[in-house]
Amino acid sequence: MEDRVAEPAQQRTQLLRQLSAHMPKILILSLVTIGFLIVLSITSKGNDDSANTFSGSVGVAMAGEKDDDFEAPMVLTAISEPYKTETSVTAARTNPIVLSYVSDQPDSNHESFEVIDIDKEESFFGLPKEYVALTFDDGPSTLTKQFVDILTEQKVAATFLFVGQKVERNQDAVIYASEHGMAIGNHSWDHSLLPKDTPQDQSESLSKTNSVLESLTHKKVTLFRPPYGAVNNKLVSEVKKLNMKTLLWNRDPEDWNAKKPEDIIRYFHQVEAAGGVYVLHENKNTLEALPAILKHLKEKNLKFVIFK
């Protein structure tokens, strides 16, 4: 009888000893499981937030002003020339388009075109769907007059963004473009990455370029296009102080990197033309592609515009 009573007591004692021996392992396993569930929950929440943040139209940079104490990161639009930087690239939703007014401006060189006075409070990216615009960077060059002749022959106006240092070597090209109804804008003095400069250097670059352009065209320069599409809040602020407006783009065929004219033409056939502000450059392949580009855009029955 004593043996039968003692046997369950011994079993319980042995079980408790075994449980005690394995307790650390059980606690560790429990903590790992709880930790995994917490991490999984946080990760899932973060993914949901990211999906909500970028559920809109992504891919065009935005350069609005922030509080004075806030230093925004440099913002790059689709970089239109070969350039590598360690600066972070930020993609954001496109701002709503803001137009001050649209007006018909027929002249002897064009059947009709429209001038859009863009709002200097917002960096400008694109157009309403019934419009299209061609813009040409990095001139003036020995090819500028040929670009202007093709545009004039097709009764189309475009916007040329000129680099100050190149103006001194191609003054006649600037005058020619202006006299043929093209809009003229500022593309900095030396095509440097302006957000890296001090506000004083930024202002000097823009002011010097305006001075040489205005001395040739006798017209106030109000348009600025940042080299490489690189802007930050300080640069936007300096542009506004000079009563200028930042003109960006939303269509980039990367013509500077094209191996042949057909590469550029193919891009125009692959993207939606309506509402497009195309960034192009003064090079040989683009010049050869221009007649086919104009033919394609005219077939879309879109209104060509220039900016002021």
Side-chain angles (χ1 to χ4, degrees):
M1 179 65 71
E2 290 177 357
D3 290 341
R4 286 196 295 270
V5 172
E7 186 175 346
Q10 291 173 355
Q11 290 177 349
R12 286 196 298 271
T13 301
Q14 186 177 1
L15 180 61
L16 288 174
R17 288 175 181 173
Q18 292 177 348
L19 183 62
S20 177
H22 289 87
M23 185 61 69
K25 295 181 181 180
I26 295 173
L27 287 174
I28 292 172
L29 181 60
S30 299
L31 290 174
V32 170
T33 303
I34 293 171
F36 175 77
L37 292 174
I38 292 173
V39 171
L40 183 63
S41 175
I42 293 173
T43 303
S44 176
K45 179 63 168 61
N47 289 339
D48 291 342
D49 292 343
S50 298
N52 291 334
T53 300
F54 296 105
S55 60
S57 175
V58 179
V60 182
M62 184 168 56
E65 277 206 280
K66 305 294 182 185
D67 294 337
D68 293 338
D69 294 333
F70 176 78
E71 176 60 28
M74 183 184 302
V75 179
L76 302 182
T77 61
I79 296 179
S80 60
E81 295 154 71
Y83 179 83
K84 293 183 179 180
T85 176
E86 296 179 356
T87 308
S88 62
V89 179
T90 302
R93 294 188 183 91
T94 306
N95 275 345
I97 301 305
V98 180
L99 307 182
S100 294
Y101 67 81
V102 181
S103 60
D104 287 317
Q105 296 287 333
D107 67 10
S108 59
N109 296 314
H110 312 89
E111 294 172 348
S112 70
F113 64 93
E114 295 190 1
V115 178
I116 290 188
D117 187 357
I118 62 179
D119 188 340
K120 72 177 182 179
E121 297 304 318
E122 300 287 347
S123 297
F124 194 84
F125 297 99
L127 290 163
K129 293 301 183 183
E130 63 269 27
Y131 299 103
V132 68
L134 297 179
T135 66
F136 295 89
D137 286 7
D138 295 359
S141 69
T142 56
L143 299 177
T144 302
K145 290 185 178 181
Q146 297 179 61
F147 276 99
V148 172
D149 286 342
I150 293 173
L151 292 165
T152 302
E153 181 182 346
Q154 294 294 321
K155 306 294 185 182
V156 172
T159 301
F160 286 78
L161 293 311
F162 289 147
V163 177
Q165 284 184 340
K166 294 184 178 182
V167 172
E168 297 184 328
R169 300 192 299 269
N170 300 279
Q171 295 185 13
D172 290 345
V174 176
I175 297 171
Y176 193 80
S178 179
E179 289 180 344
H180 284 74
M182 307 297 155
I184 306 297
N186 184 324
H187 198 38
S188 84
W189 178 255
D190 58 2
H191 207 276
S192 61
L193 196 66
L194 289 178
K196 289 188 175 182
D197 294 341
T198 65
Q200 181 179 353
D201 289 338
Q202 292 171 351
S203 180
E204 182 179 351
S205 174
L206 272 60
S207 297
K208 284 175 62 178
T209 305
N210 281 355
S211 180
V212 295
L213 289 173
E214 290 170 0
S215 68
L216 297 172
T217 64
H218 306 292
K219 298 175 183 177
K220 186 73 174 175
V221 176
T222 59
L223 296 176
F224 167 66
R225 170 163 286 166
Y228 313 106
V231 293
N232 63 2
N233 290 335
K234 289 182 179 179
L235 178 56
V236 171
S237 178
E238 291 303 313
V239 172
K240 291 180 181 179
K241 288 178 183 177
L242 294 171
N243 293 316
M244 300 177 70
K245 307 158 188 182
T246 302
L247 174 64
L248 296 173
W249 63 86
N250 60 2
R251 303 286 190 278
D252 184 2
E254 296 188 355
D255 58 331
W256 54 269
N257 197 35
K259 299 296 187 293
K260 53 186 181 298
E262 290 75 18
D263 295 338
I264 306 170
I265 297 169
R266 186 180 306 111
Y267 173 89
F268 277 82
H269 284 269
Q270 290 175 344
V271 301
E272 174 61 52
V277 177
Y278 289 88
V279 57
L280 297 162
H281 300 80
E282 294 191 24
N283 60 55
K284 187 174 181 293
N285 283 330
T286 304
L287 182 66
E288 293 181 13
L290 186 56
I293 291 171
L294 294 174
K295 180 177 183 295
H296 172 72
L297 294 178
K298 284 188 171 184
E299 290 173 351
K300 301 292 183 180
N301 295 317
L302 300 171
K303 190 77 170 180
F304 286 87
V305 303
I306 60 175
F307 301 97
K308 66 175 292 186

